Amino acid sequence: MAENKVKAEPEEKIMPIGGQAVIEGVMMRSPERVATAVRRANGEVVLKVQEYQSLAQRKKWLDIPIIRGAITLVEVMFLGIKHLNFSADVAMKDAEEVEKQQKEKEGKKQKQKKNKKEKSGGMSTLSAITTVSFALILGVALFFAFPLFVTTKLFNIEKDAFAFNLVAGSIRILLFLGYIYLISLLKDVKRLFRYHGAEHKTIYAFESGENLTVSAARPFTTLHPRCGTSFLVMVMLISLIFFSFLDSLILLFNGNITLLIRLATHLPLVPLVGGISYEAIKASAKRPDLGIVKALISPGLWLQKITTQEPDDTMLEVAIIALKAARGEEYAHLIKKTETTEAVGQPA
């Protein structure tokens, strides 16, 4: 059965499913819908399903190389933050229930006032747009503008396009590695990284044509070449080459280049670099056996040894539920409290 499925749907192996770890859960995204499954403190799984098609799917004239990549990046950030907020709402409700139970045990139960303001059940579109915009601005400022500033001030290599971008790119990579390492020390982030591992294992199982069960997903690696971590590494590597070429052209025609010129030319083209990186990651999935492809994806896989950790079976259950829901499969019978992991993982 599994072998027939793979042969019948060869294209689905390329880019069928995207995902993201959220608080105590996993978001999965297919071409038709987005689904997020979150494990509550009592063991119950809460599921949010959203019918969704990307802008490039709806507007075919935007479905062209590089442009579609830049658009997809913004859309994925937008969806990711909204669904991350959903998981945070679930976690907040659990925390409130625990606090309420503690007060009841201590005899400090208080009557709730009718006019008490209720917490929001999710992030509004405006809030999501604001958050994504702020995240983009902060990310570009820290990982693109700041390295240019430091390289200009500390090194006298402004007119050597390759050397300048090599140094700026190295600073950029060191900042990113430092950031990843520091957040990996946080207890909550470590758990998030385990759900990240569950997401990858489940996608691997699906792409391999396996039945979506915990036992089928468990043996797979947590390192996936099309992960967002690998994408960010690809962006940094491609930006080094791309901006070296751009700076060489500016020096050729202008004879001089300053920090202001670099900021004015580099920053607006960051989405273009993102689009090129998206196409590079997508193309690498078609020929992963090639030596040059292995060399390009290896740094991202190495970094995933930090950003993904081995999940337990309950985490794999959640990832499987999210993937099934994103694919439009029957999932109602999966959402229940259970002590046995395989009972949750059985296919529809």
Side-chain angles (χ1 to χ4, degrees):
M1 292 292 291
E3 186 178 355
N4 290 338
K5 177 180 177 181
V6 174
K7 288 181 179 179
E9 303 177 46
E11 291 302 318
E12 283 200 333
K13 292 190 67 179
I14 298 174
M15 273 284 202
I17 295 289
Q20 173 185 315
V22 297
I23 300 170
E24 291 300 324
V26 173
M27 179 191 82
M28 293 287 191
R29 177 174 51 86
S30 76
E32 295 84 23
R33 62 191 61 81
V34 181
T36 297
V38 177
R39 176 82 68 183
R40 294 196 62 187
N42 63 4
E44 179 185 357
V45 175
V46 181
L47 184 65
K48 176 184 176 71
V49 182
Q50 173 186 354
E51 297 295 321
Y52 185 82
Q53 281 194 324
S54 68
L55 185 60
Q57 285 178 283
R58 287 179 277 124
K59 307 291 185 183
K60 293 301 181 183
W61 60 276
L62 291 175
D63 189 17
I64 56 177
I66 301 178
I67 299 298
R68 65 188 175 192
I71 293 172
T72 298
L73 296 182
V74 176
E75 288 182 316
V76 167
M77 283 192 67
F78 177 81
L79 286 171
I81 288 175
K82 289 202 74 172
H83 285 255
L84 183 63
N85 185 71
F86 164 71
S87 69
D89 285 343
V90 174
M92 186 178 295
K93 289 176 183 177
D94 281 342
E96 288 173 350
E97 287 186 9
V98 170
E99 185 179 357
K100 182 180 178 181
Q101 290 172 2
Q102 289 176 343
K103 285 183 178 180
E104 288 175 351
K105 289 179 180 179
E106 296 170 2
K108 296 180 179 179
K109 185 178 180 181
Q110 299 179 353
K111 292 182 179 180
Q112 302 227 353
K113 296 181 180 179
K114 290 183 179 180
N115 61 353
K116 184 177 179 181
K117 187 176 181 181
E118 295 182 356
K119 286 185 171 62
S120 172
M123 180 179 281
S124 68
T125 300
L126 179 60
S127 297
I129 292 173
T130 302
T131 304
V132 169
S133 300
F134 177 75
L136 284 171
I137 292 171
L138 182 62
V140 169
L142 179 61
F143 295 112
F144 284 91
F146 182 69
L148 296 180
F149 176 81
V150 171
T151 305
T152 300
K153 297 300 180 182
L154 298 184
F155 302 92
N156 187 27
I157 51 175
E158 289 88 345
K159 292 188 177 183
D160 188 330
F162 180 76
F164 183 94
N165 283 282
L166 180 62
V167 172
S170 299
I171 294 172
R172 186 176 298 122
I173 291 171
L174 288 174
L175 282 173
F176 182 64
L177 292 176
Y179 168 76
I180 293 296
Y181 174 73
L182 288 175
I183 65 171
S184 71
L185 300 177
L186 301 174
K187 181 180 178 181
D188 290 341
V189 173
K190 286 181 180 179
R191 191 159 179 83
L192 187 74
F193 286 170
R194 294 183 72 190
Y195 274 104
H196 192 189
E199 172 219 328
H200 285 185
K201 281 174 175 278
T202 302
I203 291 177
Y204 262 129
F206 168 73
E207 291 177 338
S208 299
E210 299 286 345
N211 288 329
L212 288 179
T213 64
V214 171
S215 60
R218 194 186 296 128
F220 286 96
T221 178
T222 63
L223 311 181
H224 199 292
R226 296 196 309 274
C227 171
T229 305
S230 295
F231 168 76
L232 291 174
V233 173
M234 186 71 73
V235 167
M236 293 180 187
L237 294 176
I238 289 179
S239 65
L240 193 160
I241 300 170
F242 181 86
F243 290 127
S244 293
F245 179 73
L246 177 65
D247 287 359
S248 296
L249 288 178
I250 293 173
L251 284 166
L252 179 64
F253 289 101
N254 192 52
N256 187 37
I257 189 168
T258 64
L259 174 61
L260 187 60
I261 291 174
R262 279 195 165 97
L263 290 173
T265 54
H266 287 208
L267 300 189
L269 294 177
V270 169
L272 180 61
V273 173
I276 296 171
S277 303
Y278 173 88
E279 298 300 331
I281 288 287
K282 188 173 181 178
S284 70
K286 297 179 180 180
R287 293 299 306 272
D289 56 314
L290 292 178
I292 187 170
V293 172
K294 289 180 180 179
L296 284 172
I297 65 177
S298 289
L301 294 177
W302 295 335
L303 191 55
Q304 284 180 54
K305 292 182 178 181
I306 299 176
T307 62
T308 64
Q309 299 295 324
E310 195 65 29
D312 61 30
D313 287 357
T314 63
M315 295 173 177
L316 288 171
E317 290 171 1
V318 170
I320 288 169
I321 291 172
L323 194 151
K324 280 180 168 286
R327 292 284 298 170
E329 298 178 32
E330 176 60 39
Y331 51 80
H333 71 289
L334 301 174
I335 306 171
K336 60 182 179 181
K337 203 188 304 185
T338 179
E339 296 296 326
T340 59
T341 57
E342 285 300 311
V344 175
Q346 291 298 323

